[in-house]
Every structure is written in structure tokens, then in C-alpha cells.
């Protein structure tokens, strides 16, 4: 948690790790007012250049860490054109590009890893970090990289008491086998299509919904006080969460402004369960307006 920008996780903790600097993530829905869309990429890339100028020169930066789809930040997919531009910056300065797939990995986004969308566009991360769904609830995480990177560490520096836990590794192997056997990446896309269709329908009915976005079955819905001003509506979002809970549906909020509800259902959910959950969710929105 030492890298997180979510203050709820860091309040009262410290000192935190030094040398971690943050640039603006491309949140196109909330571009600066009046900025034309064609200027957005330059704006967000300038934020990285500002970090080099104000925080750490590029030749002192080891890596740029990117979530292919932000989790706590509000389920915002990283635009491919931005990812390509970041890759170019990394190549220019000899900086590693790390894909943080702790939340987006293992079929959540319609691919085994969300960064596979990058690969389809001709871009690859140098290192991939993952955890959570990797072992079906048994604690496990993984760092994946090419041989050149993995062999570059000094002998004896990669290891620890819990490395290579046999139970967790066995669970992960079975999880991967089942995910591939049951085509859960494809199922994720099917779920996401149903959710996005329903959310877009709701967006036309309820002016408190400002944006819907995501990849596969990892979908965010953002609540606002007004679709024109885009003023965040965190109180309404909290009310929707509570209304859902009162009807037996557990949902979770996210986002910098605490006004996003994230869809992150089990990939083995049935169509009937999905429809029932969406019906409850829409009823909760109606009750909370």
C-alpha cells in the first residue's frame, strides 16, 4: 500500500516509501474544462514530463507503473494511444514499464491479463505484477518478466519465507486450468456486454449517471449531480451502495471522488443471477435519487 494514492489506506501510516512520484492518469471523462479531446493525450503526457522536471530526472527513474484499468481510481481503462506514448517515453530513457494487474488480471477484462490488449496494439510491458484472483482466495502474488530482467537481480536477493508456497502454487495452477477449460475470458466479455448495455440504458433514464466504462466484466458506473457540470455525487453513490445491501446485493464504491460503483462479479455468475443483480441495482438507483 506504500504506493497507493488512496488516502484512506495511508492515513496515520508513515513514513511512506520515498522516490515514488505520480503523474496524471488519462481520465478523459474529466479532462480540464474546455480542453478539446485531440489535446488530451498531450496534456497527460506533459504530466509525465513535469514529473521528470520537478521530481526526478528520467535517468534516475527505474520504472513507470501503470494499471491497465484503474481499480481504486475508478475503473478507468488506460487509453491505448496513451499506453503507446508511455512505452515510447520508457524506451527513450531506458525506463521499465510495469503493468500492475493485481486487480485487472485473470480474465476480469476479457483477456487473461488486461495488458494483452496492449500486446494486440503492439505494446508490451517489461514486468507484470499480479495477485488476487490468481489462487481463488489463497494468498498468492506473482511478478512476471523476461529472463534478462529476472536474472539481473543479485544472487540471494529474490526470496523470502513465503516464496513458492506449494499450496498456493497448486491452487493457482488449478485456477488457470479451470479458467482456460471453461473459457472464462470469453465469458467475461459476455458479462461485460450485458452490463454495459444495461448501464447505458440506465444512463439515458437517470441524469445522475455521468459515465460508464470498462473492459470485459470490469465495469465502472460514475454518479454525478448533473451530467453537464459532471459534479461528483458521493452521497448518492453511498446511498446506492446501502440500498443495494438492504436488498441483498453487495456492491463496492471506488474513484478519486468516491462516486463510482464498480461491477466486479464472479465470472461463474449465471445469466439469471446477473439479471437479478442488475434489477436490484437499478431499483437501488431509483430509490436513492
Amino acid at each position: 500500500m506504500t504506493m497507493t494514492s488512496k488516502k484512506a489506506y495511508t492515513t496515520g501510516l508513515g513514513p511512506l516509501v520515498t522516490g515514488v512520484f505520480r503523474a496524471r492518469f488519462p481520465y478523459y471523462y474529466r479532462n480540464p474544462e474546455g480542453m478539446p479531446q485531440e489535446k488530451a493525450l498531450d496534456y497527460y503526457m506533459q504530466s509525465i514530463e513535469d514529473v521528470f522536471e520537478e521530481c526526478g530526472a528520467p535517468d534516475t527513474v527505474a520504472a513507470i507503473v501503470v494499471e491497465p484499468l484503474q481499480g481504486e481510481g475508478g475503473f478507468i481503462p488506460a487509453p491505448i494511444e496513451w499506453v503507446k506514448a508511455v512505452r515510447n517515453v520508457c524506451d527513450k530513457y531506458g525506463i521499465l514499464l510495469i503493468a500492475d494487474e493485481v486487480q485487472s488480471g485473470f480474465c476480469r477484462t476479457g483477456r487473461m491479463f488486461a495488458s494483452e490488449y496492449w500486446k494486440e496494439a503492439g505494446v508490451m510491458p517489461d514486468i507484470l505484477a499480479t495477485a488476487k484472483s490468481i489462487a481463488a482466495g489463497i494468498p498468492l502474488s506473482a511478478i512476471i518478466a523476461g529472463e534478462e530482467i529476472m536474472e539481473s537481480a543479485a544472487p540471494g536477493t529474490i526470496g523470502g519465507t513465503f516464496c513458492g508456497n506449494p499450496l498456493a502454487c497448486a491452487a493457482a495452477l488449478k485456477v488457470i486450468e479451470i479458467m482456460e477449460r471453461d473459457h472464462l475470458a470469453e465469458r467475461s466479455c459476455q458479462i461485460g456486454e450485458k452490463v454495459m448495455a444495461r448501464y447505458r440504458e440506465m444512463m439515458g433514464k437517470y441524469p445522475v449517471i455521468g459515465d460508464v466504462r470498462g473492459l470485459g466484466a470490469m465495469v465502472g458506473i460514475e454518479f454525478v449531480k448533473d451530467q453537464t457540470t459532471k459534479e461528483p455525487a458521493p452521497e448518492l453513490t453511498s446511498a446506492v451502495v446501502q440500498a443495494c445491501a438492504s436488498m441483498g446485493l453487495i456492491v463496492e464504491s471506488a474513484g478519486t471522488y468516491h462516486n463510482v460503483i464498480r461491477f466486479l462479479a464472479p465470472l461463474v455468475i449465471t445469466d439469471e443471477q446477473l439479471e437479478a443483480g442488475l434489477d436490484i441495482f437499478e431499483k437501488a438507483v431509483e430509490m436513492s435519487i
Side-chain angles (χ1 to χ4, degrees), residues 257-285:
Y257 307 100
H258 310 290
N259 67 322
V260 176
I261 290 179
R262 41 186 160 182
F263 178 90
L264 202 63
L267 299 179
V268 294
I269 191 172
T270 65
D271 287 342
E272 292 75 18
Q273 290 170 331
L274 178 59
E275 290 300 324
L278 290 171
D279 287 344
I280 292 174
F281 182 73
E282 182 165 2
K283 185 175 180 180
V285 172

Side-chain angles (χ1 to χ4, degrees), residues 68-95:
L69 190 154
Q70 280 200 333
E72 296 289 348
F75 273 35
I76 309 167
I80 291 298
E81 68 268 20
W82 178 80
V83 174
K84 288 182 175 180
V86 173
R87 176 75 268 180
N88 288 337
V89 167
C90 289
D91 292 341
K92 177 181 178 181
Y93 294 115
I95 297 171

Side-chain angles (χ1 to χ4, degrees), residues 29-30 203 206-213 221-227 230:
Y29 176 66
R30 294 195 175 277
M203 191 174 178
Y206 310 109
V208 295
I209 298 174
D211 190 35
V212 295
R213 62 207 173 225
I221 182 167
E222 181 162 352
F223 290 92
V224 295
K225 295 180 181 179
D226 181 270
Q227 288 180 338
K230 302 181 182 180

